[in-house]
Amino acid sequence: MNIFKELILSTYDFKSYSKFLKNRKLKVFAFAIILTLISYIFSVLAPLAIDFMANGGIRDYVEESIPDFELKDGILWAEEIAEYDYGDTYIYIDTDPLYVFGNAEEMAGYFYEDFYNYSTVVLIDSEKIVAKYDGMVQELYFTELDIDFAKEDLFTFIPILYIIIAIVFILLYFFTTAAFFFGVLFVALFGKIAAACMKCKLAYGQ
């Protein structure tokens, strides 16, 4: 019988299971692969795809979540002030040319006094990044980067991001399938041990 017909039959005709036990091992393996693929599509891919499309995808997320910004000639401009405070991480961005932080040496005492309860602190102004991480305070001036970058440039990375997401989902499927077969092998091993203890012969398909 065709493997897809058997798959449909197995959903409502439980008496047919005795016939499935006579299938070759390769066919049983293919059946399991198809079954895990269908389960993965409906339990993981489909819900995520529906939610993803409902929210407009990555492009709309970037457009709505990230304010306009531009880094040009070593000067950063951002449309609005941004602040992120979560757990032991604090990030503050203000690119107003009149509001400039001191360098790493000048900011060290400020970090340890006012941000002592954060393990990671990042302050960004129009000229540089001053950051504290694992007790060390460092700085990076945008002129050292020698690059121009803007929000519009982020959209060029979206196709690459989709490829990365696809690869992650493929790897996740292989992991899920491997976990399924590991569970089957565990059950088979347990059955074999139980059969050995009961001194009964347990053949393939039983």
Side-chain angles (χ1 to χ4, degrees), residues 82-124:
E83 186 175 23
Y84 174 83
D85 188 350
Y86 183 78
D88 61 352
T89 300
Y90 180 80
I91 301 173
Y92 184 81
I93 304 172
D94 187 349
T95 60
D96 185 343
L98 301 178
Y99 186 81
V100 179
F101 304 114
N103 58 32
E105 185 177 352
E106 295 170 341
M107 296 294 291
Y110 177 70
F111 275 125
Y112 295 125
E113 290 176 8
D114 294 4
F115 295 102
Y116 64 90
N117 56 331
Y118 294 98
S119 63
T120 302
V121 179
V122 180
L123 303 180
I124 302 175

Coordinates of all heavy atoms in Angstrom, one line a residue, residues 82-124:
A82 N 16.6 57.1 23.0 CA 16.2 55.7 23.3 C 16.8 55.2 24.6 O 17.9 55.5 24.9 CB 16.7 54.8 22.1
E83 N 16.0 54.5 25.4 CA 16.4 54.0 26.7 C 16.0 52.6 26.8 O 14.8 52.3 26.6 CB 15.9 54.9 27.8 CG 16.4 54.5 29.2 CD 16.0 55.5 30.3 OE1 15.0 56.1 30.0 OE2 16.7 55.5 31.3
Y84 N 16.9 51.7 27.2 CA 16.5 50.3 27.5 C 17.1 49.9 28.8 O 18.3 50.0 29.1 CB 17.2 49.5 26.4 CG 17.1 48.0 26.6 CD1 15.9 47.3 26.1 CD2 18.1 47.2 27.1 CE1 15.8 45.9 26.3 CE2 18.0 45.8 27.3 CZ 16.8 45.2 26.9 OH 16.7 43.8 27.1
D85 N 16.2 49.4 29.7 CA 16.5 49.1 31.0 C 15.9 47.7 31.4 O 14.7 47.6 31.6 CB 16.1 50.1 32.0 CG 16.6 49.9 33.5 OD1 17.1 48.8 33.7 OD2 16.4 50.8 34.3
Y86 N 16.7 46.7 31.4 CA 16.2 45.3 31.6 C 17.2 44.5 32.4 O 18.3 44.3 31.9 CB 15.8 44.7 30.3 CG 15.2 43.3 30.5 CD1 13.8 43.2 30.9 CD2 15.9 42.1 30.3 CE1 13.2 42.0 31.0 CE2 15.3 40.9 30.5 CZ 14.0 40.8 30.9 OH 13.4 39.6 31.1
G87 N 16.8 44.1 33.5 CA 17.7 43.2 34.3 C 18.9 44.0 34.7 O 18.9 45.0 35.3
D88 N 20.1 43.4 34.4 CA 21.3 44.0 34.7 C 22.0 44.7 33.5 O 23.2 44.9 33.4 CB 22.3 43.0 35.3 CG 22.6 41.9 34.3 OD1 21.9 41.8 33.2 OD2 23.5 41.0 34.5
T89 N 21.1 45.1 32.5 CA 21.6 45.8 31.3 C 20.9 47.1 31.2 O 19.6 47.2 31.3 CB 21.3 44.9 30.1 OG1 22.0 43.7 30.2 CG2 21.8 45.7 28.8
Y90 N 21.7 48.2 30.9 CA 21.1 49.5 30.7 C 21.7 50.1 29.5 O 23.0 50.2 29.4 CB 21.4 50.4 31.9 CG 20.8 51.8 31.8 CD1 19.4 52.1 32.0 CD2 21.6 52.9 31.4 CE1 18.9 53.3 31.8 CE2 21.1 54.1 31.3 CZ 19.8 54.4 31.5 OH 19.2 55.6 31.3
I91 N 20.9 50.6 28.6 CA 21.4 51.3 27.3 C 20.7 52.6 27.2 O 19.4 52.7 27.3 CB 21.1 50.4 26.1 CG1 21.8 49.0 26.2 CG2 21.6 51.1 24.8 CD1 21.5 48.0 25.1
Y92 N 21.4 53.7 26.9 CA 20.8 55.0 26.7 C 21.5 55.6 25.5 O 22.7 55.7 25.4 CB 21.1 55.8 28.0 CG 20.4 57.2 27.9 CD1 19.1 57.4 28.2 CD2 21.2 58.3 27.6 CE1 18.5 58.6 28.1 CE2 20.6 59.6 27.5 CZ 19.2 59.7 27.8 OH 18.6 60.9 27.7
I93 N 20.6 56.1 24.6 CA 21.1 56.8 23.4 C 20.5 58.2 23.3 O 19.3 58.3 23.2 CB 20.7 56.0 22.1 CG1 21.2 54.5 22.3 CG2 21.2 56.6 20.9 CD1 20.7 53.6 21.2
D94 N 21.4 59.2 23.2 CA 20.9 60.5 23.0 C 22.0 61.2 22.1 O 23.1 61.5 22.5 CB 20.8 61.3 24.3 CG 20.2 62.7 24.1 OD1 20.1 63.1 23.0 OD2 19.9 63.3 25.1
T95 N 21.6 61.5 20.8 CA 22.6 62.0 19.9 C 22.5 63.6 19.7 O 23.0 64.1 18.8 CB 22.4 61.4 18.5 OG1 21.0 61.6 18.0 CG2 22.6 59.9 18.6
D96 N 21.9 64.2 20.7 CA 21.9 65.7 20.7 C 23.3 66.2 20.8 O 24.0 65.9 21.7 CB 21.0 66.2 21.8 CG 20.9 67.7 21.8 OD1 21.6 68.4 21.1 OD2 20.0 68.2 22.5
P97 N 23.8 67.0 19.8 CA 25.2 67.5 19.9 C 25.5 68.2 21.1 O 26.7 68.3 21.5 CB 25.3 68.4 18.6 CG 24.2 67.9 17.7 CD 23.1 67.5 18.6
L98 N 24.5 68.8 21.8 CA 24.7 69.5 23.0 C 24.8 68.6 24.3 O 25.1 69.1 25.3 CB 23.6 70.6 23.2 CG 23.5 71.6 22.1 CD1 22.3 72.5 22.4 CD2 24.7 72.4 21.9
Y99 N 24.5 67.4 24.0 CA 24.5 66.4 25.1 C 25.5 65.3 24.8 O 25.2 64.3 24.2 CB 23.1 65.8 25.3 CG 23.0 64.9 26.5 CD1 22.7 65.5 27.8 CD2 23.0 63.5 26.4 CE1 22.6 64.7 28.9 CE2 22.9 62.7 27.5 CZ 22.7 63.3 28.8 OH 22.6 62.5 29.9
V100 N 26.8 65.5 25.3 CA 27.9 64.6 25.0 C 28.4 64.1 26.3 O 28.7 64.8 27.2 CB 29.0 65.3 24.2 CG1 30.1 64.4 23.9 CG2 28.4 65.9 22.9
F101 N 28.6 62.7 26.4 CA 29.2 62.1 27.5 C 30.7 62.4 27.6 O 31.3 62.7 26.6 CB 29.0 60.6 27.5 CG 27.5 60.2 27.4 CD1 27.1 59.6 26.3 CD2 26.6 60.5 28.4 CE1 25.7 59.2 26.2 CE2 25.3 60.1 28.3 CZ 24.9 59.5 27.2
G102 N 31.3 62.2 28.8 CA 32.7 62.2 28.9 C 33.4 61.0 28.3 O 32.7 60.0 27.9
N103 N 34.7 60.9 28.3 CA 35.3 59.7 27.8 C 35.3 58.6 28.9 O 34.8 58.8 30.0 CB 36.8 60.0 27.4 CG 37.6 60.6 28.5 OD1 37.4 60.3 29.7 ND2 38.5 61.5 28.1
A104 N 35.9 57.5 28.6 CA 35.9 56.3 29.5 C 36.5 56.7 30.8 O 35.9 56.3 31.9 CB 36.6 55.1 28.8
E105 N 37.6 57.4 30.8 CA 38.2 57.7 32.1 C 37.4 58.6 32.9 O 37.2 58.4 34.2 CB 39.6 58.3 31.8 CG 40.4 58.6 33.1 CD 41.8 59.2 32.7 OE1 42.1 59.3 31.5 OE2 42.5 59.6 33.7
E106 N 36.7 59.6 32.3 CA 35.9 60.5 33.0 C 34.6 59.9 33.5 O 34.0 60.3 34.5 CB 35.6 61.7 32.1 CG 36.8 62.6 31.7 CD 36.5 63.6 30.6 OE1 35.5 63.4 29.9 OE2 37.3 64.5 30.5
M107 N 34.1 58.9 32.8 CA 32.8 58.3 33.1 C 33.0 57.1 34.1 O 32.0 56.6 34.6 CB 32.2 57.8 31.8 CG 31.8 58.9 30.8 SD 30.5 60.0 31.5 CE 29.1 58.9 31.5
A108 N 34.2 56.7 34.3 CA 34.4 55.5 35.2 C 33.7 55.6 36.5 O 32.9 54.7 37.0 CB 35.9 55.2 35.3
G109 N 34.0 56.7 37.2 CA 33.4 56.9 38.5 C 31.9 57.0 38.5 O 31.2 56.5 39.3
Y110 N 31.4 57.6 37.4 CA 29.9 57.8 37.2 C 29.3 56.4 37.1 O 28.2 56.1 37.6 CB 29.7 58.6 36.0 CG 28.2 58.8 35.6 CD1 27.4 59.6 36.4 CD2 27.7 58.2 34.5 CE1 26.1 59.8 36.0 CE2 26.4 58.4 34.1 CZ 25.6 59.2 34.9 OH 24.3 59.4 34.5
F111 N 29.9 55.5 36.3 CA 29.4 54.2 36.1 C 29.3 53.4 37.4 O 28.3 52.8 37.7 CB 30.3 53.4 35.1 CG 30.0 53.6 33.7 CD1 31.0 54.1 32.8 CD2 28.7 53.4 33.2 CE1 30.7 54.3 31.5 CE2 28.4 53.6 31.8 CZ 29.4 54.1 31.0
Y112 N 30.4 53.4 38.2 CA 30.4 52.6 39.4 C 29.6 53.2 40.5 O 29.1 52.5 41.4 CB 31.9 52.5 39.9 CG 32.8 51.8 38.9 CD1 33.9 52.3 38.4 CD2 32.4 50.5 38.5 CE1 34.7 51.6 37.5 CE2 33.2 49.8 37.6 CZ 34.3 50.4 37.1 OH 35.1 49.7 36.2
E113 N 29.3 54.5 40.5 CA 28.4 55.1 41.5 C 26.9 55.0 41.2 O 26.1 54.6 42.0 CB 28.8 56.6 41.7 CG 30.2 56.8 42.4 CD 30.6 58.2 42.4 OE1 29.8 59.1 42.1 OE2 31.8 58.5 42.8
D114 N 26.6 55.4 40.0 CA 25.2 55.4 39.6 C 24.7 54.2 38.9 O 23.5 54.0 38.9 CB 24.9 56.6 38.6 CG 25.2 58.0 39.3 OD1 25.6 58.0 40.5 OD2 24.9 59.0 38.7
F115 N 25.6 53.3 38.4 CA 25.1 52.1 37.7 C 25.8 50.9 38.3 O 26.1 49.9 37.6 CB 25.5 52.2 36.2 CG 24.7 53.3 35.5 CD1 25.3 54.5 35.2 CD2 23.4 53.1 35.1 CE1 24.6 55.5 34.5 CE2 22.7 54.1 34.5 CZ 23.3 55.3 34.1
Y116 N 26.0 50.9 39.6 CA 26.7 49.8 40.2 C 26.0 48.5 40.2 O 26.5 47.4 40.2 CB 27.0 50.2 41.7 CG 25.8 50.4 42.6 CD1 25.2 49.3 43.2 CD2 25.2 51.6 42.7 CE1 24.1 49.5 44.0 CE2 24.1 51.8 43.4 CZ 23.5 50.7 44.1 OH 22.4 50.9 44.9
N117 N 24.6 48.6 40.0 CA 23.8 47.4 40.0 C 23.6 46.8 38.6 O 22.9 45.9 38.4 CB 22.4 47.6 40.7 CG 21.7 48.8 40.0 OD1 22.3 49.7 39.5 ND2 20.4 48.8 40.0
Y118 N 24.3 47.4 37.6 CA 24.2 46.9 36.3 C 25.5 46.3 35.9 O 26.6 46.9 36.1 CB 23.9 48.0 35.3 CG 22.5 48.6 35.4 CD1 22.3 49.8 36.1 CD2 21.4 48.0 34.8 CE1 21.0 50.4 36.3 CE2 20.1 48.6 35.0 CZ 19.9 49.7 35.7 OH 18.7 50.3 35.8
S119 N 25.5 45.1 35.3 CA 26.8 44.5 34.8 C 27.1 45.0 33.4 O 28.3 45.1 33.1 CB 26.6 43.0 34.7 OG 25.6 42.6 33.8
T120 N 26.1 45.5 32.7 CA 26.4 46.0 31.3 C 25.7 47.4 31.2 O 24.5 47.5 31.4 CB 25.9 45.1 30.2 OG1 26.5 43.8 30.4 CG2 26.2 45.6 28.8
V121 N 26.4 48.4 30.9 CA 25.9 49.7 30.7 C 26.5 50.3 29.4 O 27.7 50.2 29.2 CB 26.3 50.7 31.8 CG1 25.7 52.1 31.6 CG2 25.7 50.2 33.1
V122 N 25.6 50.8 28.5 CA 26.1 51.3 27.2 C 25.4 52.7 27.0 O 24.2 52.9 27.1 CB 25.6 50.5 26.0 CG1 26.1 51.1 24.7 CG2 26.2 49.1 26.2
L123 N 26.3 53.7 26.9 CA 25.8 55.1 26.7 C 26.3 55.5 25.3 O 27.5 55.4 25.0 CB 26.4 56.0 27.7 CG 26.0 55.7 29.2 CD1 26.7 56.7 30.1 CD2 24.5 55.6 29.4
I124 N 25.4 56.1 24.5 CA 25.8 56.5 23.1 C 25.4 57.9 22.9 O 24.2 58.3 23.1 CB 25.1 55.5 22.1 CG1 25.5 54.1 22.3 CG2 25.4 56.0 20.7 CD1 24.7 53.1 21.4

